[in-house]
């Protein structure tokens, strides 16, 4: 048995884009008699080489359109490479597009049989596994409901449950884990952990670098169809983030602030006697950026506007990881910066000289309250986010950087 599960050797994939689409039946007939239709070649992958070792969790990261899904479809045999040599050693189960292999009018139960037959599982076996599949997907109450009434999270749960009960040696998933809620994601990660320990292989495409870091040992970064880097998932996600940071600096060169709920997150409440008009995350040079380094500086700048005088306001920020981990919540009261009153506009800075957070995506809240911290003038709850990279400190595990020091004292032998 080979120690490699999947092997890309100089793989290229060309798509042919047709510029004249038949818009009507007449067009179609006319086109059929045309000697040649104008076409354009598009290379979705170009000379890509990498190996996925058996028993490894392998991530594929890259921007939209970089060829990640194309790579998975090649592995799954849905597409054929235009050039190169692709080898897949082992039985494979694929979770590609949301709802692929399902029929909307069939119930969950009927879809389990349909999907299993596509995966090549005999219906006798499905009968034995049905309860386990439904239980893993946590869909007991909905198993006889047509799939068209399922939420996307429910469809993903069902797809994942079927795929893993097909007992594959290689599991490939395209972004689907991110569709499920946090508790299901955690359950999948726990399952994948056990699955990997039994020597099997996972290939995961995700835009969530946190997920890639948490699950994968190794990864490839695809950039417009080319393998830009291959290495440990930490090296690759850090390199990819650094690149995104560079691109972002170009975009944010005017020092623009991130706007409220820019990434679709966050809630806002308050009576607005003082309004938070803008929140900026600034680096050492005072430039707004969503990218920071462990041990480096970070300043949160909260811009405000108060149409009339408001006495003794309290400004605060909070940092969260995921939905439930509240890391910190300093305010001008606890930080001993009494503000007598505000009227008109200005800004308040919270300066962190050395950020004690490790690699990850963090969410930021900014708020202004009355003197007692009870009445909200304006609260932007987890409406902003920022990335932290820890490559420079060389420590990656966990969330917090203690910046501790190791000492060794061997006992003197007599
Ligand atoms: N069947 C197809 N015909 C023509 N072009 C295609 C086809 N499938 C994909 N492409 C093109 O190939 C490129 C790579 O697409 P792919 O879906 O692999 O990207 P991706 O990395 O998965 O992106 P995303 O992050 O948005 O999912 C894109 O430019 C896409 O438009
Ligand atoms: Mg894709």
């Amino acid at each position: 048995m080979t120690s490699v599960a999947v092997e890309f050797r100089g793989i290229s994939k060309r798509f042919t884009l047709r510029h004249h689409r038949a818009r009507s039946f007449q067009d179609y007939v006319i086109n059929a008699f045309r000697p040649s239709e104008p076409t354009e070649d598009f290379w979705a992958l170009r000379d890509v080489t990498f190996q996925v070792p058996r028993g490894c969790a392998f991530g594929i990261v890259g921007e939209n359109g970089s060829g990640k899904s194309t790579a998975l479809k090649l592995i799954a045999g849905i597409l054929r490479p235009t050039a190169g040599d692709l080898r897949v050693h082992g039985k494979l189960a694929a979770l590609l597009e949301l709802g692929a292999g399902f029929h909307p009018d069939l119930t969950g139960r009927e879809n389990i049989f349909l999907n299993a037959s596509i995966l090549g599982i005999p219906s006798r076996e499905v009968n034995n596994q049905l309860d386990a599949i439904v239980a893993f997907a946590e869909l007991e109450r909905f198993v006889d409901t047509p799939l068209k009434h399922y939420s996307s999270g429910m469809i993903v749960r069902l797809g994942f449950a079927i795929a893993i009960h097909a007992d594959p040696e290689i599991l490939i998933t395209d972004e689907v884990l991110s569709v499920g809620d946090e508790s299901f994601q955690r359950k999948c990660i726990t399952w994948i952990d056990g699955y990997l320990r039994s020597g099997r292989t996972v290939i995961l495409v995700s835009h969530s670098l946190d997920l890639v870091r948490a699950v994968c040992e190794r990864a490839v970064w695809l950039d417009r169809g080319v393998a830009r880097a291959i290495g440990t998932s930490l090296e690759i996600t850090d390199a990819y983030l650094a690149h995104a940071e560079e691109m972002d600096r170009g975009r944010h060169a005017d020092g623009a602030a991130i706007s409220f709920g820019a990434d679709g997150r966050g809630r806002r409440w308050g009576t607005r006697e003082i309004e938070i008009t803008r929140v900026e995350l600034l680096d050492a040079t005072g430039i707004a950026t969503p990218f920071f380094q462990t041990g480096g500086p970070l300043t949160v700048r909260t811009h405000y506007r108060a149409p009339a005088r408001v006495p003794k306001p309290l400004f605060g920020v909070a940092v969260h990881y995921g939905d439930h981990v509240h890391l910190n919540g300093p305010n001008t009261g606890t930080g001993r910066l009494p503000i007598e009153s505000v009227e008109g506009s200005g800004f308040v800075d919270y300066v962190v000289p050395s950020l004690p957070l490790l690699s990850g995506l963090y969410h930021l809240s900014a708020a202004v309250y009355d003197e007692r911290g009870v009445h909200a003038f304006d609260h932007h709850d987890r409406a902003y986010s920022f990335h932290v990279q820890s490559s420079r400190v060389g420590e990656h595990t966990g969330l917090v950087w203690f910046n501790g020091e190791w000492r060794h004292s061997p006992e003197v032998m007599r």
Side-chain angles (χ1 to χ4, degrees):
M1 216 160 64
T2 149
S3 60
V4 175
V6 173
E7 202 170 353
F8 272 58
R9 275 197 223 152
I11 293 289
S12 296
K13 176 64 192 174
R14 178 184 57 209
F15 289 114
T16 305
L17 308 176
R18 285 173 221 291
H19 292 305
H20 283 280
R21 274 281 180 98
R23 254 164 260 131
S24 64
F25 180 67
Q26 268 128 323
D27 264 4
Y28 179 79
V29 173
I30 293 164
N31 283 341
F33 291 102
R34 272 208 186 129
S36 70
E37 195 181 353
T39 58
E40 187 193 321
D41 283 347
F42 177 83
W43 291 88
L45 291 176
R46 253 181 218 277
D47 198 16
V48 173
T49 298
F50 63 84
Q51 286 190 341
V52 181
R54 185 179 297 282
C56 173
F58 191 88
I60 304 180
V61 301
E63 285 170 16
N64 294 129
S66 56
K68 304 181 297 294
S69 299
T70 303
L72 288 194
K73 285 179 190 156
L74 289 168
I75 298 170
I78 296 167
L79 294 174
R80 277 176 190 287
T82 311
D85 188 17
L86 173 60
R87 309 230 167 141
V88 178
H89 306 281
K91 183 177 153 195
L92 183 121
L95 276 164
L96 300 178
E97 274 126 66
L98 184 68
F102 287 135
H103 194 290
D105 292 326
L106 300 180
T107 65
R109 186 191 305 275
E110 291 161 341
N111 267 298
I112 293 176
F113 283 93
L114 171 71
N115 201 268
S117 75
I118 296 171
L119 287 169
I121 311 167
S123 54
R124 185 171 22 87
E125 231 170 86
V126 182
N127 266 324
N128 296 337
Q129 303 240 32
L130 191 70
D131 289 345
I133 293 173
V134 173
F136 191 95
E138 297 165 32
L139 287 170
E140 289 90 345
R141 283 177 52 217
F142 304 97
V143 68
D144 292 311
T145 305
L147 206 82
K148 61 185 169 206
H149 300 307
Y150 280 28
S151 69
S152 43
M154 288 158 83
I155 296 173
V156 163
R157 267 152 43 192
L158 190 61
F160 192 83
I162 298 171
I164 66 174
H165 284 85
D167 197 30
E169 289 158 297
I170 305 165
L171 178 69
I172 64 178
T173 86
D174 193 348
E175 203 59 81
V176 286
L177 287 184
S178 332
V179 180
D181 58 26
E182 276 218 353
S183 85
F184 190 74
Q185 229 189 64
R186 236 173 293 134
K187 182 166 160 181
C188 292
I189 292 173
T190 310
W191 182 87
I192 287 174
D193 237 30
Y195 175 82
L196 290 167
R197 252 181 268 136
S198 69
R200 287 172 286 179
T201 310
V202 174
I203 303 176
L204 181 101
V205 164
S206 183
H207 286 286
S208 161
L209 300 184
D210 279 346
L211 187 70
V212 172
R213 261 190 267 244
V215 175
C216 302
E217 288 151 58
R218 297 185 62 76
V220 58
W221 164 20
L222 292 180
D223 184 18
R224 281 166 286 176
V226 175
R228 194 64 189 255
I230 300 158
T232 68
S233 64
L234 285 170
E235 287 164 359
I236 297 305
T237 50
D238 270 358
Y240 177 54
L241 261 180
H243 167 79
E245 176 177 9
E246 226 169 80
M247 306 299 288
D248 220 73
R249 269 190 209 289
R251 264 179 240 144
H252 285 276
D254 54 349
I258 25 177
S259 55
F260 179 85
D263 46 4
R265 294 181 61 92
R267 291 192 307 134
R268 183 177 190 177
W269 63 86
T271 49
R272 313 276 174 96
E273 284 91 332
I274 305 173
E275 189 184 353
I276 294 175
T277 51
R278 200 148 58 103
V279 174
E280 291 175 300
L281 286 159
L282 308 175
D283 67 9
T285 57
I287 289 175
T289 170
F291 299 99
F292 294 88
Q293 295 282 345
T294 305
L298 174 155
T299 295
V300 182
R301 178 162 293 173
T302 306
H303 294 262
Y304 66 82
R305 182 170 55 218
R309 183 178 171 276
V310 181
K312 298 196 161 67
L314 280 182
F315 284 84
V317 301
V319 176
H320 280 80
Y321 179 79
D323 283 337
H324 307 295
V325 184
H326 185 174
L327 287 158
N328 198 7
N331 66 52
T332 49
T334 54
R336 308 240 166 86
L337 176 75
I339 298 176
E340 209 33 58
S341 68
V342 293
E343 183 169 6
S345 48
F347 61 79
V348 174
D349 280 348
Y350 179 61
V351 182
V352 182
S354 168
L355 191 65
L357 296 174
L358 288 173
S359 284
L361 174 69
Y362 296 88
H363 304 299
L364 180 94
S365 313
V368 54
Y369 276 75
D370 72 342
E371 185 181 2
R372 296 165 304 146
V374 175
H375 176 87
F377 294 127
D378 199 358
H379 191 128
H380 296 197
D381 189 55
R382 283 169 257 184
Y384 312 96
S385 42
F386 61 97
H387 293 272
V388 177
Q389 287 174 254
S390 38
S391 45
R392 281 186 209 157
V393 299
E395 211 184 289
H396 298 284
T397 318
L399 296 176
V400 181
W401 186 53
F402 290 156
N403 196 13
E405 204 178 275
W406 288 98
R407 289 184 191 155
H408 176 204
S409 315
E411 262 177 41
V412 184
M413 301 260 279
R414 283 172 216 246

